[in-house]
Amino acid sequence: MGEDTEVCVIGAGPAGLALTLMLLRSGARVTLVERATGFDREFRGEILQPGGQAVLASLGVLDAVRTRGACRLDRFQLVDGDRTLLDIDYRRLPEPHDHLLAVPQRHLLVELLAACREHEGFEYLDGHRVSELLRDGDRYTGAVVTGQGKRAITAKVVVGADGRYSKTRALAGIDAGRHDAFDQDVLWFKLFAPGR
Ligand SMILES: Cc1cc2nc3c(=O)[nH]c(=O)nc-3n(C[C@H](O)[C@H](O)[C@H](O)COP(=O)(O)OP(=O)(O)OC[C@H]3O[C@@H](n4cnc5c(N)ncnc54)[C@H](O)[C@@H]3O)c2cc1C
């Protein structure tokens, strides 16, 4: 019996959506499972590095992402007290990706999803989270996802793109070898400009 889909990707963050689009463009059928129903996700990185911009340009979504609203940044400095730890001038890179792009992650996710929806072999299950993996001997053959109901999705390949605390990875018994002991913390917040 044939599978429901060729690839079942768990997690529609930047990685899951970009991979899904690449697979669809190469002709594969993909079911993408995402626990959230909107685009305001837990992690909302907002700076696109030149390498990331190049990948998105090759996927044909960068211009649409820019059009939704983005800000070009030429330099990046990291300062610790009176020491400058990093001082990068992106203008030294070859055009067109010779800058950073500050862009809300939501813009990126919206455009990647819209591009995925243009492909026939695409199925998007938002509001669903993975709860079990299907197994046949030593091979994973799909995933059970829970949303309004429970659904078993059979697939040739299951991809865990569900973030750093991946449930898929845990269900598959894969140790990520993470060490969460850092000697510095980063505080991340947004400041709104007055009068806007
Ligand atoms: C505070 C902060 C600031 C950052 N700033 C930047 C930045 O400026 N630039 C940059 O490039 N990176 C930045 N990052 C890193 C960036 O956010 C991550 O590298 C990126 O989000 C990783 O993408 P991902 O798709 O692998 O995972 P995620 O973005 O974590 O996406 C995982 C997806 O899987 C879904 N999911 C989770 N569990 C399940 C489940 N059980 N079933 C179904 N779906 C599930 C989640 O809802 C989510 O949509 C920042 C991270 C943080 C925390």
Side-chain angles (χ1 to χ4, degrees):
M1 204 178 79
E3 292 87 2
D4 296 326
T5 187
E6 283 171 283
V7 186
C8 177
V9 177
I10 313 291
L17 272 163
L19 173 68
T20 297
L21 183 54
M22 286 177 193
L23 289 166
L24 290 166
R25 283 163 57 109
S26 70
R29 287 181 297 124
V30 184
T31 294
L32 176 60
V33 180
E34 167 56 47
R35 71 178 172 192
T37 49
F39 291 98
D40 289 324
R41 304 287 162 74
E42 201 173 337
F43 303 131
R44 286 172 261 179
E46 299 206 340
I47 301 290
L48 275 178
Q49 295 283 341
Q53 293 172 45
V55 171
L56 293 168
S58 74
L59 288 173
V61 295
L62 187 62
D63 287 343
V65 170
R66 276 181 197 275
T67 305
R68 283 182 174 271
C71 175
R72 180 191 165 113
L73 304 169
D74 292 327
R75 296 185 65 187
F76 177 76
Q77 274 193 333
L78 187 60
V79 178
D80 181 11
D82 56 2
R83 285 191 312 149
T84 300
L85 304 178
L86 277 178
D87 188 358
I88 306 170
D89 187 345
Y90 283 86
R91 290 168 296 190
R92 295 171 62 192
L93 292 174
E95 290 181 5
H97 307 303
D98 56 347
H99 54 272
L100 297 173
L101 204 59
V103 60
Q105 198 192 67
R106 142 189 286 273
H107 292 181
L108 178 63
L109 301 181
V110 167
E111 289 302 334
L112 282 168
L113 182 58
C116 288
R117 287 196 198 278
E118 286 172 15
H119 294 264
E120 266 186 20
F122 179 57
E123 182 186 28
Y124 185 48
L125 295 177
D126 59 347
H128 286 72
R129 54 177 72 218
V130 64
S131 54
E132 290 168 52
L133 293 181
L134 300 172
R135 205 173 166 152
D136 181 8
D138 59 359
R139 204 172 73 82
Y140 287 103
T141 55
V144 177
V145 299
T146 312
Q148 283 178 341
K150 212 173 195 187
R151 178 171 157 196
I153 303 162
T154 54
K156 286 191 170 74
V157 180
V158 178
V159 177
D162 46 347
R164 57 181 164 170
Y165 300 110
S166 169
K167 170 96 177 189
T168 314
R169 187 176 61 220
L171 288 169
I174 299 168
D175 179 13
R178 282 182 60 92
H179 299 285
D180 283 340
F182 297 103
D183 56 3
Q184 294 197 346
D185 285 326
V186 174
L187 184 62
W188 189 81
F189 56 91
K190 268 187 179 177
L191 277 180
F192 292 96
R196 289 202 175 179

